[in-house]
Amino acid sequence: MSLPNFEQSLSQLIAIPSISSNLANEDQSNHQVISLLATWFESLGFTIEVTPVPNTRNKFNLLAKLGSGEGGLLLAGHSDTVAFDEIGWNSDPHKVKRKGGRLYGLGTCDMKGFFAFILQACQGLSVNKLTKPLYILATADEETTMAGARFFSQSQDIRPDAAIIGEPTNLKPVIMHKGYMSHKITVTGKSGHSSRPSAGINAIEIMHQVIGKLINLKSKLGLHYQNQAFDVQEPTLNLGVTRGGDSVNRICGQCELDIDIRSLPSMEDEEIIYWLTDALASVVEQYPGRIRIQELEPSSPSFHLEKNSNLAKLAEQLSHQSCCAVNYATEAPFIQKLASQTIVLGPGSIDQAHQPNEFLAEDQINTTLMILTQLINKYCLTQET
């Protein structure tokens, strides 16, 4: 089988829609992307395992393996993209457009493009030359629930020496990121005619008190927790979405607030939940049975790899950039359960991710291929790890 070159493979991946969304009418299967990757890597001699991801809308993980034995290297990424607004795009999001030294398209940097790089780096590899296995992982639903990575970490028993997650970091090694959790706070009041306020209980007014407590909590978290490795050094609490009321002349009977909290690596989920429930305790006591807190999506843990680890040092050497911390979340904490030395390192910038006119800079192509080739040589072609 004749395999495509880098730009051809990138174009074929971008052409297949694979949007992940919490909205059923926008959510799309990644099966075609997984099938295309399976075809390519199988032609290179990899053994292929395609696995349905439970509790998803027809989503799949792919694990490709070349070679045998213990240890080795895992190159990982997600096969889905976020939704897009056509109005903001200057070109078709599902067609790669080259202009001004950039390759535009939905998923070029976040992060279907990483698989195009892996495909090129793997061509010419011979299983007879490998002393340790090379694994390629493509996951599902990273942009929503991270269901693919969660399931993979629970269902697989591979133990590679190192893992690289190719999120867009501008090829800067990321060894630390914040955790993420989201909650819905629902206030149930009692509706009635606005001319008789005493006949009802206004849910918006109660939510006003809830928001005040959350703003105080936000300040307290900043005072109690700091990490100078991050440019936003404190945990964050964001008031994201509010919904309430149905008519201007009715007392609001229900109000909802969606929040997210991004925690530092030193913080545990249980600790954050304690802070949240304690902050709202007085309002809950004042309005018994009217305030409910529920998880919106399963939380994603924070991630941390020691700066003096072998992989961190090697990544700095290959990239000529220092390791850093980022505020967003990735699949790294789930992959790290299988490969203790895990790092986030990939082409493209997070500034382009989730934005109209997402692009990959062409001047990163050769450097990315060089880094991947040297990582494969280090972990799969020699006995040293």
Short mmCIF file of all heavy atoms in Angstrom, two decimals, residues 295-352:
data_model
loop_
_atom_site.label_atom_id
_atom_site.label_comp_id
_atom_site.label_asym_id
_atom_site.label_seq_id
_atom_site.Cartn_x
_atom_site.Cartn_y
_atom_site.Cartn_z
N GLU A 295 -22.35 16.96 39.85
CA GLU A 295 -21.24 16.96 38.92
C GLU A 295 -21.77 17.01 37.49
O GLU A 295 -22.67 16.27 37.13
CB GLU A 295 -20.40 15.70 39.14
CG GLU A 295 -19.06 15.70 38.44
CD GLU A 295 -18.23 14.47 38.78
OE1 GLU A 295 -18.73 13.35 38.59
OE2 GLU A 295 -17.10 14.65 39.26
N LEU A 296 -21.18 17.89 36.67
CA LEU A 296 -21.57 17.96 35.26
C LEU A 296 -20.88 16.87 34.45
O LEU A 296 -21.51 16.18 33.66
CB LEU A 296 -21.21 19.33 34.68
CG LEU A 296 -22.20 20.46 34.90
CD1 LEU A 296 -21.62 21.78 34.40
CD2 LEU A 296 -23.52 20.17 34.20
N GLU A 297 -19.57 16.76 34.61
CA GLU A 297 -18.77 15.75 33.91
C GLU A 297 -17.78 15.15 34.91
O GLU A 297 -17.44 15.80 35.91
CB GLU A 297 -17.98 16.39 32.75
CG GLU A 297 -18.85 16.96 31.65
CD GLU A 297 -18.03 17.69 30.61
OE1 GLU A 297 -16.80 17.86 30.83
OE2 GLU A 297 -18.59 18.11 29.59
N PRO A 298 -17.32 13.94 34.67
CA PRO A 298 -16.30 13.37 35.56
C PRO A 298 -15.08 14.28 35.60
O PRO A 298 -14.66 14.83 34.58
CB PRO A 298 -15.97 12.03 34.90
CG PRO A 298 -17.16 11.70 34.06
CD PRO A 298 -17.71 13.00 33.59
N SER A 299 -14.52 14.46 36.77
CA SER A 299 -13.38 15.37 36.91
C SER A 299 -12.14 14.78 36.25
O SER A 299 -12.00 13.56 36.10
CB SER A 299 -13.10 15.63 38.39
OG SER A 299 -12.69 14.45 39.04
N SER A 300 -11.24 15.68 35.86
CA SER A 300 -9.96 15.28 35.29
C SER A 300 -8.86 15.70 36.27
O SER A 300 -8.79 16.87 36.65
CB SER A 300 -9.72 15.95 33.94
OG SER A 300 -10.69 15.53 33.00
N PRO A 301 -8.02 14.76 36.67
CA PRO A 301 -7.01 15.09 37.68
C PRO A 301 -5.95 16.04 37.14
O PRO A 301 -5.78 16.21 35.93
CB PRO A 301 -6.39 13.72 38.01
CG PRO A 301 -7.32 12.70 37.45
CD PRO A 301 -7.99 13.35 36.29
N SER A 302 -5.22 16.66 38.05
CA SER A 302 -4.05 17.43 37.66
C SER A 302 -2.93 16.46 37.26
O SER A 302 -3.02 15.25 37.48
CB SER A 302 -3.60 18.33 38.81
OG SER A 302 -3.30 17.54 39.96
N PHE A 303 -1.86 17.02 36.71
CA PHE A 303 -0.76 16.20 36.19
C PHE A 303 0.57 16.82 36.61
O PHE A 303 0.72 18.05 36.63
CB PHE A 303 -0.85 16.14 34.66
CG PHE A 303 0.42 15.74 33.96
CD1 PHE A 303 0.92 14.46 34.09
CD2 PHE A 303 1.12 16.65 33.16
CE1 PHE A 303 2.10 14.08 33.45
CE2 PHE A 303 2.28 16.28 32.51
CZ PHE A 303 2.77 15.00 32.65
N HIS A 304 1.53 15.94 36.94
CA HIS A 304 2.85 16.42 37.35
C HIS A 304 3.88 15.34 37.08
O HIS A 304 3.73 14.20 37.51
CB HIS A 304 2.85 16.79 38.84
CG HIS A 304 4.17 17.33 39.31
ND1 HIS A 304 4.61 17.19 40.60
CD2 HIS A 304 5.13 18.02 38.66
CE1 HIS A 304 5.80 17.75 40.74
NE2 HIS A 304 6.14 18.27 39.56
N LEU A 305 4.92 15.71 36.36
CA LEU A 305 6.10 14.86 36.16
C LEU A 305 7.30 15.62 36.72
O LEU A 305 7.46 16.81 36.50
CB LEU A 305 6.32 14.58 34.67
CG LEU A 305 7.60 13.79 34.31
CD1 LEU A 305 7.48 12.34 34.77
CD2 LEU A 305 7.88 13.85 32.81
N GLU A 306 8.14 14.91 37.47
CA GLU A 306 9.31 15.55 38.07
C GLU A 306 10.23 16.12 36.99
O GLU A 306 10.52 15.46 35.98
CB GLU A 306 10.09 14.56 38.93
CG GLU A 306 9.35 14.12 40.19
CD GLU A 306 9.10 15.27 41.15
OE1 GLU A 306 9.91 16.22 41.14
OE2 GLU A 306 8.10 15.22 41.89
N LYS A 307 10.71 17.34 37.23
CA LYS A 307 11.55 18.03 36.25
C LYS A 307 12.88 17.31 36.02
O LYS A 307 13.47 17.40 34.94
CB LYS A 307 11.79 19.46 36.71
CG LYS A 307 12.58 20.31 35.71
CD LYS A 307 12.68 21.75 36.16
CE LYS A 307 13.58 22.57 35.24
NZ LYS A 307 13.07 22.60 33.86
N ASN A 308 13.34 16.57 37.05
CA ASN A 308 14.63 15.87 36.91
C ASN A 308 14.47 14.45 36.39
O ASN A 308 15.42 13.66 36.42
CB ASN A 308 15.38 15.87 38.23
CG ASN A 308 14.64 15.14 39.34
OD1 ASN A 308 13.52 14.67 39.13
ND2 ASN A 308 15.26 15.02 40.51
N SER A 309 13.27 14.08 35.92
CA SER A 309 13.07 12.74 35.35
C SER A 309 13.82 12.62 34.03
O SER A 309 14.13 13.61 33.36
CB SER A 309 11.58 12.48 35.12
OG SER A 309 11.09 13.33 34.10
N ASN A 310 14.12 11.39 33.66
CA ASN A 310 14.86 11.14 32.42
C ASN A 310 14.13 11.70 31.20
O ASN A 310 14.73 12.31 30.31
CB ASN A 310 15.09 9.64 32.23
CG ASN A 310 16.06 9.07 33.25
OD1 ASN A 310 16.87 9.80 33.82
ND2 ASN A 310 15.99 7.77 33.48
N LEU A 311 12.80 11.51 31.16
CA LEU A 311 12.03 11.97 30.00
C LEU A 311 12.01 13.49 29.93
O LEU A 311 12.14 14.07 28.85
CB LEU A 311 10.61 11.42 30.06
CG LEU A 311 9.67 11.85 28.92
CD1 LEU A 311 10.25 11.46 27.56
CD2 LEU A 311 8.29 11.24 29.11
N ALA A 312 11.84 14.16 31.05
CA ALA A 312 11.82 15.63 31.05
C ALA A 312 13.16 16.18 30.55
O ALA A 312 13.20 17.12 29.74
CB ALA A 312 11.51 16.16 32.44
N LYS A 313 14.25 15.61 31.04
CA LYS A 313 15.57 16.06 30.60
C LYS A 313 15.77 15.82 29.10
O LYS A 313 16.30 16.68 28.38
CB LYS A 313 16.65 15.34 31.39
CG LYS A 313 16.72 15.73 32.87
CD LYS A 313 17.78 14.91 33.59
CE LYS A 313 17.85 15.27 35.07
NZ LYS A 313 18.84 14.43 35.79
N LEU A 314 15.34 14.66 28.63
CA LEU A 314 15.48 14.34 27.21
C LEU A 314 14.63 15.28 26.36
O LEU A 314 15.07 15.76 25.30
CB LEU A 314 15.08 12.89 26.95
CG LEU A 314 15.10 12.42 25.50
CD1 LEU A 314 16.50 12.53 24.92
CD2 LEU A 314 14.58 10.99 25.38
N ALA A 315 13.41 15.56 26.81
CA ALA A 315 12.52 16.45 26.05
C ALA A 315 13.11 17.85 25.95
O ALA A 315 13.01 18.51 24.90
CB ALA A 315 11.14 16.49 26.71
N GLU A 316 13.71 18.32 27.02
CA GLU A 316 14.36 19.64 26.97
C GLU A 316 15.53 19.62 25.99
O GLU A 316 15.74 20.58 25.23
CB GLU A 316 14.84 20.04 28.36
CG GLU A 316 13.73 20.44 29.31
CD GLU A 316 14.24 21.00 30.62
OE1 GLU A 316 15.34 20.58 31.06
OE2 GLU A 316 13.55 21.87 31.19
N GLN A 317 16.28 18.54 26.01
CA GLN A 317 17.43 18.42 25.12
C GLN A 317 17.00 18.41 23.65
O GLN A 317 17.60 19.09 22.81
CB GLN A 317 18.20 17.14 25.45
CG GLN A 317 19.37 16.85 24.54
CD GLN A 317 19.97 15.47 24.81
OE1 GLN A 317 19.85 14.94 25.91
NE2 GLN A 317 20.59 14.87 23.81
N LEU A 318 15.96 17.66 23.34
CA LEU A 318 15.52 17.54 21.95
C LEU A 318 14.81 18.79 21.45
O LEU A 318 14.94 19.17 20.28
CB LEU A 318 14.59 16.33 21.80
CG LEU A 318 15.20 14.95 22.05
CD1 LEU A 318 14.15 13.86 21.90
CD2 LEU A 318 16.37 14.69 21.10
N SER A 319 14.04 19.42 22.32
CA SER A 319 13.25 20.58 21.90
C SER A 319 14.00 21.90 22.04
O SER A 319 13.56 22.92 21.48
CB SER A 319 11.97 20.66 22.73
OG SER A 319 12.26 20.95 24.09
N HIS A 320 15.09 21.87 22.81
CA HIS A 320 15.84 23.10 23.12
C HIS A 320 14.96 24.12 23.83
O HIS A 320 15.13 25.34 23.66
CB HIS A 320 16.44 23.71 21.85
CG HIS A 320 17.33 22.77 21.09
ND1 HIS A 320 18.57 22.37 21.54
CD2 HIS A 320 17.14 22.13 19.90
CE1 HIS A 320 19.12 21.54 20.68
NE2 HIS A 320 18.27 21.37 19.67
N GLN A 321 14.01 23.63 24.62
CA GLN A 321 13.13 24.49 25.40
C GLN A 321 12.98 23.91 26.80
O GLN A 321 13.05 22.70 27.00
CB GLN A 321 11.76 24.61 24.74
CG GLN A 321 11.78 25.20 23.34
CD GLN A 321 10.39 25.55 22.87
OE1 GLN A 321 9.82 26.57 23.26
NE2 GLN A 321 9.82 24.73 22.01
N SER A 322 12.75 24.79 27.76
CA SER A 322 12.60 24.36 29.15
C SER A 322 11.20 23.82 29.40
O SER A 322 10.22 24.24 28.78
CB SER A 322 12.85 25.54 30.10
OG SER A 322 14.17 26.02 29.96
N CYS A 323 11.10 22.89 30.33
CA CYS A 323 9.82 22.34 30.72
C CYS A 323 8.97 23.43 31.38
O CYS A 323 9.48 24.38 31.97
CB CYS A 323 10.00 21.18 31.70
SG CYS A 323 10.74 19.71 30.95
N CYS A 324 7.64 23.27 31.29
CA CYS A 324 6.75 24.30 31.81
C CYS A 324 5.46 23.68 32.33
O CYS A 324 5.23 22.47 32.21
CB CYS A 324 6.43 25.33 30.72
SG CYS A 324 5.41 24.66 29.36
N ALA A 325 4.63 24.55 32.91
CA ALA A 325 3.30 24.16 33.39
C ALA A 325 2.25 24.94 32.61
O ALA A 325 2.50 26.07 32.17
CB ALA A 325 3.17 24.47 34.88
N VAL A 326 1.06 24.34 32.42
CA VAL A 326 -0.03 25.00 31.69
C VAL A 326 -1.31 24.92 32.51
O VAL A 326 -1.45 24.08 33.40
CB VAL A 326 -0.24 24.38 30.29
CG1 VAL A 326 0.97 24.60 29.41
CG2 VAL A 326 -0.58 22.89 30.40
N ASN A 327 -2.25 25.80 32.19
CA ASN A 327 -3.48 25.91 32.98
C ASN A 327 -4.58 24.96 32.51
O ASN A 327 -5.53 24.70 33.25
CB ASN A 327 -4.00 27.34 32.94
CG ASN A 327 -2.98 28.33 33.49
OD1 ASN A 327 -2.49 28.16 34.59
ND2 ASN A 327 -2.67 29.35 32.72
N TYR A 328 -4.49 24.48 31.28
CA TYR A 328 -5.54 23.60 30.75
C TYR A 328 -5.28 22.14 31.13
O TYR A 328 -4.21 21.80 31.63
CB TYR A 328 -5.64 23.75 29.22
CG TYR A 328 -4.34 23.55 28.47
CD1 TYR A 328 -3.90 22.27 28.13
CD2 TYR A 328 -3.56 24.63 28.09
CE1 TYR A 328 -2.72 22.08 27.44
CE2 TYR A 328 -2.37 24.45 27.39
CZ TYR A 328 -1.95 23.18 27.08
OH TYR A 328 -0.77 23.00 26.39
N ALA A 329 -6.28 21.29 30.89
CA ALA A 329 -6.17 19.87 31.23
C ALA A 329 -5.95 19.03 29.97
O ALA A 329 -6.36 19.43 28.87
CB ALA A 329 -7.43 19.41 31.95
N THR A 330 -5.31 17.87 30.15
CA THR A 330 -5.08 16.93 29.05
C THR A 330 -5.34 15.51 29.55
O THR A 330 -5.73 15.29 30.70
CB THR A 330 -3.63 17.01 28.53
OG1 THR A 330 -2.75 16.35 29.45
CG2 THR A 330 -3.18 18.45 28.34
N GLU A 331 -5.07 14.55 28.67
CA GLU A 331 -5.22 13.13 29.02
C GLU A 331 -4.02 12.59 29.81
O GLU A 331 -4.00 11.43 30.18
CB GLU A 331 -5.40 12.30 27.75
CG GLU A 331 -6.67 12.64 26.98
CD GLU A 331 -6.76 11.92 25.65
OE1 GLU A 331 -5.72 11.79 24.98
OE2 GLU A 331 -7.87 11.50 25.27
N ALA A 332 -3.05 13.45 30.09
CA ALA A 332 -1.80 12.99 30.71
C ALA A 332 -1.99 12.22 32.02
O ALA A 332 -1.33 11.19 32.22
CB ALA A 332 -0.86 14.18 30.93
N PRO A 333 -2.86 12.66 32.95
CA PRO A 333 -2.96 11.90 34.20
C PRO A 333 -3.48 10.48 34.01
O PRO A 333 -3.16 9.59 34.80
CB PRO A 333 -3.92 12.74 35.06
CG PRO A 333 -4.63 13.62 34.10
CD PRO A 333 -3.67 13.87 32.98
N PHE A 334 -4.26 10.26 32.96
CA PHE A 334 -4.76 8.90 32.70
C PHE A 334 -3.67 8.05 32.05
O PHE A 334 -3.47 6.88 32.42
CB PHE A 334 -5.99 8.96 31.80
CG PHE A 334 -7.11 9.79 32.37
CD1 PHE A 334 -7.40 11.04 31.85
CD2 PHE A 334 -7.84 9.34 33.45
CE1 PHE A 334 -8.40 11.82 32.39
CE2 PHE A 334 -8.85 10.11 34.01
CZ PHE A 334 -9.13 11.35 33.47
N ILE A 335 -2.95 8.62 31.09
CA ILE A 335 -1.86 7.89 30.44
C ILE A 335 -0.74 7.62 31.43
O ILE A 335 -0.08 6.57 31.38
CB ILE A 335 -1.33 8.70 29.23
CG1 ILE A 335 -2.46 8.99 28.24
CG2 ILE A 335 -0.19 7.96 28.55
CD1 ILE A 335 -3.18 7.76 27.72
N GLN A 336 -0.54 8.53 32.38
CA GLN A 336 0.54 8.36 33.36
C GLN A 336 0.31 7.16 34.27
O GLN A 336 1.26 6.65 34.88
CB GLN A 336 0.67 9.64 34.19
CG GLN A 336 1.98 9.74 34.96
CD GLN A 336 2.13 11.06 35.67
OE1 GLN A 336 1.15 11.65 36.15
NE2 GLN A 336 3.35 11.57 35.75
N LYS A 337 -0.92 6.69 34.38
CA LYS A 337 -1.18 5.48 35.15
C LYS A 337 -0.50 4.26 34.54
O LYS A 337 -0.21 3.28 35.22
CB LYS A 337 -2.68 5.23 35.25
CG LYS A 337 -3.43 6.27 36.09
CD LYS A 337 -4.92 5.98 36.12
CE LYS A 337 -5.66 7.01 36.95
NZ LYS A 337 -7.12 6.75 36.98
N LEU A 338 -0.25 4.32 33.22
CA LEU A 338 0.39 3.22 32.51
C LEU A 338 1.88 3.49 32.26
O LEU A 338 2.69 2.56 32.27
CB LEU A 338 -0.31 2.98 31.18
CG LEU A 338 -1.81 2.68 31.26
CD1 LEU A 338 -2.42 2.59 29.88
CD2 LEU A 338 -2.06 1.40 32.03
N ALA A 339 2.20 4.75 32.01
CA ALA A 339 3.59 5.14 31.78
C ALA A 339 3.93 6.24 32.77
O ALA A 339 3.52 7.39 32.58
CB ALA A 339 3.79 5.63 30.34
N SER A 340 4.66 5.91 33.81
CA SER A 340 4.92 6.88 34.88
C SER A 340 5.65 8.11 34.34
O SER A 340 5.46 9.21 34.84
CB SER A 340 5.71 6.24 36.01
OG SER A 340 6.94 5.73 35.54
N GLN A 341 6.48 7.89 33.31
CA GLN A 341 7.14 9.02 32.67
C GLN A 341 6.33 9.42 31.45
O GLN A 341 6.47 8.86 30.36
CB GLN A 341 8.58 8.67 32.29
CG GLN A 341 9.47 8.44 33.50
CD GLN A 341 10.93 8.75 33.23
OE1 GLN A 341 11.26 9.76 32.63
NE2 GLN A 341 11.79 7.85 33.67
N THR A 342 5.46 10.39 31.65
CA THR A 342 4.58 10.91 30.61
C THR A 342 4.80 12.40 30.48
O THR A 342 4.99 13.10 31.47
CB THR A 342 3.10 10.63 30.95
OG1 THR A 342 2.87 9.22 30.90
CG2 THR A 342 2.16 11.32 29.99
N ILE A 343 4.76 12.88 29.24
CA ILE A 343 4.96 14.31 28.99
C ILE A 343 4.00 14.76 27.90
O ILE A 343 3.56 13.95 27.08
CB ILE A 343 6.43 14.58 28.60
CG1 ILE A 343 6.85 15.99 28.99
CG2 ILE A 343 6.67 14.33 27.14
CD1 ILE A 343 8.35 16.20 28.97
N VAL A 344 3.66 16.03 27.91
CA VAL A 344 2.81 16.61 26.86
C VAL A 344 3.71 17.47 25.98
O VAL A 344 4.34 18.42 26.46
CB VAL A 344 1.67 17.46 27.46
CG1 VAL A 344 0.74 17.96 26.36
CG2 VAL A 344 0.88 16.64 28.48
N LEU A 345 3.78 17.14 24.71
CA LEU A 345 4.72 17.81 23.80
C LEU A 345 4.24 17.62 22.37
O LEU A 345 4.15 16.50 21.88
CB LEU A 345 6.12 17.21 23.96
CG LEU A 345 7.19 17.64 22.96
CD1 LEU A 345 7.53 19.12 23.17
CD2 LEU A 345 8.45 16.79 23.10
N GLY A 346 3.92 18.71 21.69
CA GLY A 346 3.45 18.58 20.33
C GLY A 346 3.53 19.89 19.55
O GLY A 346 3.73 20.96 20.13
N PRO A 347 3.35 19.82 18.24
CA PRO A 347 3.42 21.01 17.38
C PRO A 347 2.14 21.82 17.44
O PRO A 347 1.08 21.32 17.82
CB PRO A 347 3.60 20.40 15.99
CG PRO A 347 2.86 19.09 16.07
CD PRO A 347 3.09 18.58 17.47
N GLY A 348 2.25 23.08 17.06
CA GLY A 348 1.09 23.96 17.09
C GLY A 348 0.98 24.65 18.44
O GLY A 348 1.63 24.26 19.41
N SER A 349 0.12 25.65 18.49
CA SER A 349 -0.04 26.45 19.70
C SER A 349 -1.44 26.29 20.28
O SER A 349 -2.43 26.23 19.55
CB SER A 349 0.21 27.93 19.40
OG SER A 349 -0.18 28.75 20.48
N ILE A 350 -1.51 26.26 21.62
CA ILE A 350 -2.80 26.21 22.29
C ILE A 350 -3.62 27.46 21.98
O ILE A 350 -4.85 27.47 22.08
CB ILE A 350 -2.62 26.04 23.81
CG1 ILE A 350 -3.94 25.62 24.49
CG2 ILE A 350 -2.06 27.30 24.42
CD1 ILE A 350 -4.44 24.27 24.08
N ASP A 351 -2.95 28.54 21.56
CA ASP A 351 -3.67 29.77 21.19
C ASP A 351 -4.53 29.57 19.95
O ASP A 351 -5.49 30.31 19.75
CB ASP A 351 -2.67 30.90 20.93
CG ASP A 351 -1.92 31.32 22.20
OD1 ASP A 351 -2.45 31.08 23.30
OD2 ASP A 351 -0.82 31.86 22.07
N GLN A 352 -4.18 28.59 19.10
CA GLN A 352 -4.99 28.30 17.92
C GLN A 352 -6.08 27.26 18.21
O GLN A 352 -7.07 27.19 17.49
CB GLN A 352 -4.11 27.78 16.77
CG GLN A 352 -3.48 28.88 15.92
CD GLN A 352 -2.34 29.55 16.64
OE1 GLN A 352 -1.35 28.91 16.98
NE2 GLN A 352 -2.46 30.85 16.89
#
